Amino acid sequence: MPDVHSQNAVIRELERQIAELEKSAETDASREELDRLRAQLEAVQKPSSGGPKDAWDRVLLARHPQRPYTLDYIHFLFTDFTELHGDRRFGDDPSIVCGLARFEGRPVMVIGQQKGRDTKQKLFRNFGMPKPEGYRKALRVMQLAAKFRVPIITMIDTPGAYPGIGAEERGQAEAIAYNLKEIPKLPVPILVIIHGEGGSGGALAIAIGDRVLMSENAVYSVISPESCSSILWRDWDHKQDAARGLKLTAQDLLGLGIVDALVPEPPGGAHDDPAYAAELLRPHIATSLKELSTLSEGDLIRRRHEKLRSLATYVVER
Amino acid sequence: MTWFKKEKKALETPQEKRVQTEGLWSKCEGCKVILWKKDLDANFQCCPKCGFHFKIGSRARLEMLFDEGEYTEHDARLFSTDPLGFKDTKPYSERLKKAEKQTGLSDALLTGEGRVGGKPLIVCAMEFSFIGGSMGAAVGEKITRAIDRCIAQKLPLVIVSCSGGARMMEGAISLMQMAKISAGLARLDEIRKPFISVLADPTTGGVTASYAMLGDLNIAEPGALIGFAGPRVIEQTIRQKLPEGFQRSEFLLAHGMIDAIVPRKELKGFIARSMNLLGAWENH
């Protein structure tokens, strides 16, 4: 069963985490986490509405503590999920889950970042921030899928790649870079679903594919609005402006040609009805897989390279 | 008439200060020794006392690497369209114009085609003084075009990185350049012409997490800061001080992330020699 908590339990848990953090020493990082938790509390307490949403509203929805996470979608949409662990080099990173499964009877390889709900799970999943071994595990199972001609589905939901000493020592940058170069070579259809937070390179490292779907309230950006505000405005108060300026919503990215299709969510957001959110996603996956499976391996790779070559070409010669 | 009068003087910007101290002498950031600029020029902008490598511009970099300092520039007039119409404390379009005026470049990268040891190749060098050497649509397209040219003409490639990472003001467009360039390098693999990535101080963020770490050879200048996350971000996340030398070239070498550390004055020789050993110009 998906571990979606009841409203009150979530509020109590958030309040407890905020109180805990308020007691600890004040650093920029704890302040950012505190800001995040307070915003989540605000989002939970706010009544859902189907009305128009500002970019910042969508950031809050994308981070909503009751939003379905990757394993929830896997539970609703796939059968026979068989989790595969480890990068065969260093370890297993629980912030990325991988496994074989069936989608409407057909074998697929599912890969996605996974966040945790309570404090224990959050720590276990490292807040959904993968380390190099996570990205290497993802590529390993993608290559496994390619060997047996199983289509790949990636599910994106991460604040970003983990910035820590161990991650740097083991080559966080190299792990991401290597994925970006190797994934385009795989001779199987790759479907990317950005359903939560698309946090910069940490998201992109498993978000290269033939077709990119994005949930209505998901966000995808090169930097978090908070960090953008602190670097460009030199304070924490312009995160709303930064969110608007970064053009990080699904609608914006569809317009910029970075995303291929937008997946609708239940009126108040995916957290309102996770099972329904998954059902809204189902036909998009079915159509995309069907379309992509008609292409020959050569065409698939050629088309993918053409698409990547023309991606985000916003230049002018003068 | 007042006895004391406060003279109203305009606020000096750090930039004006820099101009005032600019002269014949320079202070080494490594050993703090005062150096005669001509000595620095003669030593590839490296401190003759401690070997500290000063940052150098992209033009100086190309002149240093190509035979007789001669090269043909490509895509010199390729500009970003400011796709998001971004504005923070001032419009991004103004930042672009200012950087263009200061550097004489269209964006943070210079592409040159020329010869090293008599053999043809393409070299791209990043320009740190252009918005921190950050990568947006123009840098991404210039590198991808350089890769396309290498494939069409069967030429080896060198990219000298010096960058804070992806450019915030172009949002996800900047992020997509990482994917575009890396996929381009996968195409370059097929013609089996070497790509040497040179990492200069600093190389971080989305640049490290794409082409800078994807060289057939990754080589770094001594003492360069190289990493995915910046040291400040890591310190804030883990809430402790970072060890001395963390994320420097020597640290990366010890952790198996780069092939070699090459001092600047040996860089050209290293590139020519390893390109030859890899057969870069055989059957050309």
Side-chain angles (χ1 to χ4, degrees):
Chain A
M1 271 302 289
D3 54 347
V4 180
H5 290 199
S6 77
Q7 180 101 345
N8 286 337
V10 169
I11 291 175
R12 271 201 306 278
E13 173 65 20
L14 282 171
E15 283 172 346
R16 198 187 57 75
Q17 288 179 20
I18 289 170
E20 210 169 76
L21 210 58
E22 274 171 342
K23 270 185 275 169
S24 71
E26 172 91 356
T27 66
D28 278 2
S30 63
R31 200 177 149 181
E32 187 170 351
E33 179 62 18
L34 207 54
D35 267 10
R36 251 178 111 85
L37 289 170
R38 284 195 185 120
Q40 288 193 341
L41 189 62
E42 191 190 319
V44 179
Q45 287 167 334
K46 209 167 155 182
S48 316
S49 78
K53 294 176 186 81
D54 180 35
W56 180 248
D57 295 331
R58 303 226 193 246
V59 171
L60 294 183
L61 283 173
R63 296 175 184 168
H64 196 289
Q66 285 163 300
R67 194 171 173 83
Y69 294 154
T70 294
L71 281 173
D72 300 320
Y73 280 111
I74 290 176
H75 166 81
F76 289 124
L77 292 168
F78 302 93
T79 53
D80 283 357
F81 178 64
T82 307
E83 190 172 353
L84 305 173
H85 295 273
D87 68 344
R88 300 284 195 275
R89 297 287 182 273
F90 175 79
D92 183 43
D93 185 351
S95 56
I96 290 190
V97 292
C98 309
L100 287 158
R102 283 182 194 275
F103 178 77
E104 298 183 341
R106 190 183 165 179
V108 289
M109 182 68 84
V110 193
I111 297 153
Q113 293 100 348
Q114 177 65 29
K115 294 177 178 172
R117 294 225 187 261
D118 55 24
T119 306
K120 203 176 148 203
Q121 280 292 316
K122 279 181 183 174
L123 289 173
F124 176 63
R125 301 291 181 187
N126 197 31
F127 303 87
M129 294 190 282
K131 296 173 182 170
E133 48 273 23
Y135 295 116
R136 290 178 182 136
K137 168 171 73 171
L139 183 64
R140 176 181 79 80
V141 301
M142 284 189 201
Q143 287 168 337
L144 177 71
K147 178 175 173 185
F148 296 100
R149 297 299 186 264
V150 174
I152 296 165
I153 298 176
T154 70
M155 315 228 22
I156 309 304
D157 186 19
T158 177
Y162 184 61
I165 292 184
E168 293 289 325
E169 285 175 336
R170 297 192 294 279
Q172 186 72 289
E174 193 273 346
I176 296 170
Y178 192 64
N179 279 18
L180 298 183
K181 186 176 153 187
E182 292 305 313
I183 295 172
K185 297 177 181 173
L186 304 174
V188 287
I190 306 170
L191 175 62
V192 177
I193 303 162
I194 302 161
H195 65 84
E197 275 185 281
S200 197
L204 183 70
I206 57 167
I208 307 283
D210 301 299
R211 201 168 157 77
V212 180
L213 308 178
M214 187 161 170
S215 297
E216 194 182 342
N217 295 312
V219 294
Y220 192 15
S221 174
V222 71
I223 189 166
S224 74
E226 288 90 341
S227 302
C228 182
S229 166
S230 89
I231 296 171
L232 291 181
W233 280 272
R234 306 211 169 271
D235 64 43
W236 293 83
D237 307 326
H238 288 83
K239 51 186 190 249
Q240 274 105 332
D241 297 320
R244 226 168 289 131
L246 285 166
K247 302 273 189 286
L248 43 66
T249 70
Q251 290 81 350
D252 289 330
L253 296 168
L254 192 66
L256 290 166
I258 290 170
V259 164
D260 300 307
L262 200 148
V263 181
E265 290 184 23
H271 64 278
D272 252 8
D273 191 345
Y276 182 41
E279 285 319 306
L280 289 170
L281 178 57
R282 185 187 295 277
H284 283 269
I285 298 178
T287 332
S288 303
L289 283 183
K290 201 174 155 200
E291 279 172 20
L292 293 174
S293 62
T294 60
L295 297 166
S296 73
E297 286 171 13
D299 282 348
L300 202 61
I301 293 175
R302 194 173 333 108
R303 252 182 46 140
R304 191 182 296 152
H305 272 291
E306 280 165 12
K307 189 184 170 200
L308 286 164
R309 174 65 189 88
S310 59
L311 194 62
T313 305
Y314 289 90
V315 289
V316 59
E317 213 126 9
R318 61 179 153 84
Chain B
M1 198 177 149
T2 46
W3 282 23
F4 298 102
K5 199 175 160 198
K6 209 175 185 179
E7 293 230 354
K8 271 194 185 160
K9 226 164 98 187
L11 211 68
E12 269 182 71
T13 65
Q15 217 166 353
E16 283 167 307
K17 268 186 195 152
R18 209 180 300 141
V19 175
Q20 284 169 359
T21 56
E22 202 169 44
L24 297 167
W25 302 89
S26 218
K27 190 175 174 182
C28 174
E29 290 169 46
C31 65
K32 313 284 176 215
V33 112
I34 305 292
L35 299 165
W36 196 30
K37 279 231 168 123
K38 283 212 169 139
D39 285 346
L40 261 182
D41 292 344
N43 200 36
F44 301 90
Q45 304 298 320
C46 300
C47 173
K49 300 272 186 288
C50 73
F52 177 85
H53 283 50
F54 286 72
K55 279 194 188 67
I56 61 167
S58 52
R59 290 206 183 277
R61 180 68 76 174
L62 292 198
E63 280 163 19
M64 209 171 267
L65 290 178
F66 284 120
D67 294 351
E68 280 88 47
E70 283 173 13
Y71 61 92
T72 311
E73 191 181 340
H74 291 308
D75 307 312
R77 306 294 302 160
L78 204 67
F79 293 84
S80 163
T81 59
D82 180 14
L84 309 186
F86 195 89
K87 185 174 180 288
D88 48 90
T89 49
K90 64 174 159 181
Y92 171 49
S93 55
E94 269 176 36
R95 289 186 194 276
L96 280 174
K97 269 188 215 124
K98 196 175 156 211
E100 184 197 341
K101 220 169 130 192
Q102 280 172 351
T103 61
L105 297 169
S106 69
D107 212 296
L109 184 109
L110 179 65
T111 305
E113 185 178 338
R115 282 169 187 276
V116 169
K119 305 284 176 45
L121 84 172
I122 288 178
V123 181
C124 299
M126 300 197 76
E127 178 64 51
F128 194 76
S129 58
F130 196 109
I131 318 187
S134 56
M135 167 182 60
V139 169
E141 183 63 17
K142 280 178 101 165
I143 295 182
T144 313
R145 287 191 187 184
I147 294 169
D148 289 345
R149 266 198 187 88
C150 285
I151 293 171
Q153 301 175 41
K154 299 214 170 1
L155 292 177
L157 174 68
V158 173
I159 303 177
V160 185
S161 294
C162 182
S163 166
R167 190 173 292 165
M168 266 179 287
M169 299 83 143
E170 293 188 21
I173 306 282
S174 304
L175 192 62
M176 293 306 125
Q177 306 310 317
M178 294 166 64
K180 181 162 98 178
I181 297 166
S182 305
L185 290 171
R187 287 186 284 122
L188 185 65
D189 276 355
E190 288 164 24
I191 65 155
R192 294 194 295 122
K193 289 293 168 192
F195 158 44
I196 296 181
S197 172
V198 180
L199 298 100
D201 182 53
T203 300
T204 58
V207 168
T208 324
S210 59
Y211 54 91
M213 275 292 161
L214 290 175
D216 292 304
L217 301 181
N218 295 331
I219 59 179
E221 289 197 333
L225 177 78
I226 302 163
F228 174 67
R232 212 172 55 96
V233 175
I234 300 174
E235 276 185 351
Q236 285 172 359
T237 308
I238 63 170
R239 296 171 205 190
Q240 52 183 298
K241 270 248 159 287
L242 293 170
E244 181 77 20
F246 179 66
Q247 291 184 314
R248 295 287 163 184
S249 306
E250 297 71 16
F251 173 94
L252 269 90
L253 187 76
H255 285 88
M257 292 301 147
I258 52 177
D259 290 283
I261 295 175
V262 183
R264 196 173 285 160
K265 63 177 172 199
E266 293 165 24
L267 191 58
K268 182 178 174 175
F270 185 98
I271 290 171
R273 188 171 68 245
S274 44
M275 285 286 189
N276 269 313
L277 287 166
L278 290 169
W281 295 292
E282 273 164 34
N283 312 316
H284 192 78

